[in-house]
Amino acid sequence: MTLHDEITRMEKIAVALAIQCRDIDGELITATPPEFFYVHNHQILWREIQAREIMDLPELLMSLDKNLRDYYYNNILDADTTWCTLGSALAFIREKRRELDIRTAAEMIIQSPGAETYAGFQRAVETPAEKKGAKQILRDFITGVFARRAGEFSGVETGFPIWDDHTCGLVHGRLNILSARPKVGKTALALTWAWDIARRGGRVLYITTEMSANEILSRLCGSLMGVSSNRILKASNLTDDQCRELTDAVGRIAMSGFRLVEMIGAPWKNVVAEIFSADTDAVVIDQLQAMRFDTRRRVFDIGDATKEIRAVAAKKGCGLLLLCQLGRGADARESCRPMLSDLRDSGEIEQDADTVTFIYRPHRNSADRNLMLAANRHGPTCEIKLGFNPAKATFYEEGYAHG
C-alpha cells in the first residue's frame, strides 16, 4: 500500500466516524479544517458535517448531489471504524500528510535543483511536530536503559564486535566518520559493514557519490562470489558457473534490504533530500568530498552538509556512516598514524562528528591494516587489528592492535 493509499483509507475512516458516531467530539470536528483532507470529496463531506450542529444522516445524504451520495455509499459506508477513534485517525493523517509533503519536496529537489525547491523542502522538514512532554521523555529514557540492560543493542550493529562495543554501533542520529587515504580500503570496509547489516535483515541505503553503481555492485557481487571485482567488470573471462553464481549474488542483493543509489558529483542538498525520502535503518555515504559544493565557500558548505546530514539521520531515526578523504599529512609521518587534523576540511567535520575512525597501514608499504577509533564523543577510543579476506575482499576484526 502506497503512502497516498494509506492517507485515503484513513480519511474514509475519519469521515465515517464523524458521520456515523453520535457521541463524537464536536470540538475536534470544528477545529479540523476541510483542507486538512487530501481527497476532494472528503473535503466536501467534512464541510457538510461541520455545517450541522446535530448529525442527521438522511438529511445529510439528501443535501448531497448524486455523485457525492454514490461516493458515500461505495467508499465511506463500509469503512471499518471499529479499531480507532476520530482523534487517532486525524493524528495518523496529519503525520502521513507531513511525510508525503517531505517526500514530494525531496523529489522536487532531485528533479529541479535550485534555491526555490530547497526552500520548499526545508519548509516541509521544519513543520513543527508534536512535542513530547517531560514525562514521556523520561519514560522513553528509562525504557531505553532497561532495554539495553536486557541485551538490546542501542544502535545498528556493524558486525565488528570491538568497534560496536566502544560506540554502540551506528546509533540513530549520530554522525560516524570513516576516513582513509586512497586505495587503503574505506569503501571495502563500508561495504563489509553495509552488507552485514543487510544480510541480518536490516535496511541499508548506500549512496555512492564517487564510484559508479556498476563498480560498487561488482565489488559486492565479487565479495559474495569470492572473485575479484575486476573479473566481473571485464566479464569476458567469467565461466558458466561464475555466471550462475553472479545471478545468485544479484538475487541475494535484490532480496535483501541493501539499496544502492548512484549520485556521482551530485549537489550535497540532493543527497540530503535522498536520505529524507528513504525508509531505512542505516545510511552509508561514499563519500563526502565527492559531492558538489560551492567552490567560493566550500569549507562552509561542507560544514552545512555535515550538520544537515546529521540532523536528517536524527529525524529519520537511522544510523549514519559518512566516508571522508584523509589528507597527505599521515604519509609524511614516520609512524604513518593519521591524526584528526589530517581530515580534509577537518575543522567542521571534526566538530560535528560523534565518532571518527581511520583505516590505515601501520607501516609504510605494509599490507596490514589497523582500524583506529580516534575520536568518540560518547565513550573510549581504541585501535583494532584488521584481517583481510582476499577472496571476498572483506575486512574482519582480529583483535586489539596493542595489548
Side-chain angles (χ1 to χ4, degrees):
M1 182 180 292
T2 67
L3 191 58
H4 178 271
D5 291 338
E6 289 184 58
I7 295 171
T8 301
R9 181 176 69 93
M10 193 57 73
E11 285 188 3
K12 291 175 183 178
I13 292 173
V15 173
L17 282 166
I19 291 175
Q20 298 167 10
C21 299
R22 297 185 178 278
D23 58 347
I24 209 73
D25 186 351
E27 291 184 3
L28 189 58
I29 293 175
T30 303
T32 304
E35 293 74 23
F36 174 80
F37 293 92
Y38 188 84
V39 178
H40 182 64
N41 281 346
H42 300 163
Q43 295 179 5
I44 299 174
L45 285 168
W46 198 257
R47 287 194 187 92
E48 293 293 334
I49 293 168
Q50 287 182 323
R52 287 164 169 72
E53 293 184 10
I54 300 175
M55 181 52 61
D56 185 291
L57 184 56
E59 180 185 335
L60 172 67
L61 294 176
M62 289 299 295
S63 68
L64 304 176
D65 63 44
K66 183 181 183 303
N67 289 337
L68 202 57
R69 194 158 52 243
D70 290 343
Y71 181 85
Y72 171 81
Y73 285 123
N74 295 328
N75 296 276
I76 305 296
L77 183 61
D78 294 330
D80 184 5
T81 60
T82 60
W83 60 280
C84 71
T85 64
L86 179 59
S88 62
L90 294 175
F92 179 91
I93 296 168
R94 184 180 301 109
E95 184 61 31
K96 293 298 180 182
R97 280 294 301 271
R98 180 168 182 262
E99 186 178 340
L100 185 62
D101 289 343
I102 291 171
R103 287 191 183 183
T104 303
E107 289 170 1
M108 287 295 294
I109 285 186
I110 294 170
Q111 293 170 8
S112 304
E116 186 176 341
T117 52
Y118 187 68
F121 172 74
Q122 285 186 313
R123 285 194 297 272
V125 170
E126 292 167 1
T127 301
E130 294 182 6
K131 294 182 179 179
K132 288 184 180 180
K135 290 183 179 180
Q136 183 62 46
I137 291 173
L138 291 171
R139 277 197 296 270
D140 290 348
F141 168 74
I142 196 65
T143 300
V145 170
F146 286 134
R148 292 191 293 275
R149 183 175 182 269
E152 292 185 20
F153 204 73
S154 57
V156 180
E157 295 179 78
T158 65
F160 275 37
I162 298 175
W163 194 89
D164 286 342
D165 185 56
H166 281 73
T167 62
C168 296
L170 302 177
V171 178
H172 300 164
R174 291 185 186 175
L175 175 59
N176 301 283
I177 299 293
L178 176 63
S179 185
R181 291 290 293 146
K183 298 181 175 64
V184 174
K186 62 180 180 292
T187 295
L189 181 60
L191 277 173
T192 299
W193 285 2
W195 180 249
D196 192 81
I197 294 167
R199 72 173 182 81
R200 287 185 281 105
R203 298 163 301 171
V204 184
L205 172 64
Y206 196 105
I207 299 176
T208 173
T209 61
E210 184 179 37
M211 300 172 66
S212 71
N214 280 348
E215 290 174 297
I216 295 293
L217 285 174
S218 295
R219 288 188 176 212
L220 184 52
C221 289
S223 171
L224 297 177
M225 295 165 59
V227 302
S228 74
S229 59
N230 285 337
R231 191 179 183 89
I232 295 174
L233 283 171
K234 194 172 181 181
S236 61
N237 293 331
L238 288 176
T239 66
D240 290 344
D241 286 343
Q242 287 173 337
C243 287
R244 282 190 287 271
E245 290 175 9
L246 178 60
T247 303
D248 290 341
V250 170
R252 288 175 62 186
I253 296 170
M255 295 298 291
S256 74
F258 183 89
R259 179 179 168 227
L260 177 62
V261 176
E262 180 184 299
M263 302 187 73
I264 296 176
W268 68 268
K269 292 178 181 179
N270 288 28
V271 176
V272 172
E274 183 66 39
I275 298 169
F276 222 117
S277 65
D279 185 13
T280 187
D281 300 312
V283 175
V284 179
I285 303 174
D286 184 5
Q287 58 147 320
L288 174 66
Q289 282 86 357
M291 300 180 203
R292 193 193 311 164
F293 298 98
D294 187 338
T295 54
R296 294 167 297 180
R297 58 186 307 276
R298 178 181 173 84
V299 173
F300 298 105
D301 254 13
I302 285 180
D304 291 343
T306 53
K307 288 179 176 64
E308 193 81 18
I309 289 169
R310 189 176 190 271
V312 166
K315 288 176 183 288
K316 296 293 290 185
C318 60
L320 177 64
L321 181 66
L322 178 60
L323 277 60
C324 294
Q325 290 179 354
L326 193 61
R328 299 177 183 273
D331 292 345
R333 265 179 235 113
E334 189 174 341
S335 66
C336 298
R337 286 171 62 83
M339 301 169 60
L340 292 174
S341 58
D342 295 328
L343 284 168
R344 283 190 59 183
D345 312 295
S346 61
E348 295 289 345
I349 298 172
E350 182 184 344
Q351 177 181 317
D352 295 332
D354 292 277
T355 69
V356 177
T357 304
F358 297 123
I359 178 172
Y360 75 102
R361 296 184 176 94
H363 308 288
R364 201 177 303 279
N365 300 322
S366 170
D368 296 334
R369 302 286 192 278
N370 281 4
L371 193 67
M372 180 169 65
L373 180 58
N376 185 6
R377 186 174 292 173
H378 307 282
T381 59
C382 67
E383 189 158 341
I384 303 164
K385 181 174 175 56
L386 293 179
F388 184 71
N389 184 334
K392 293 182 174 294
T394 56
F395 288 101
Y396 56 91
E397 289 182 339
E398 285 192 344
Y400 289 101
H402 303 293

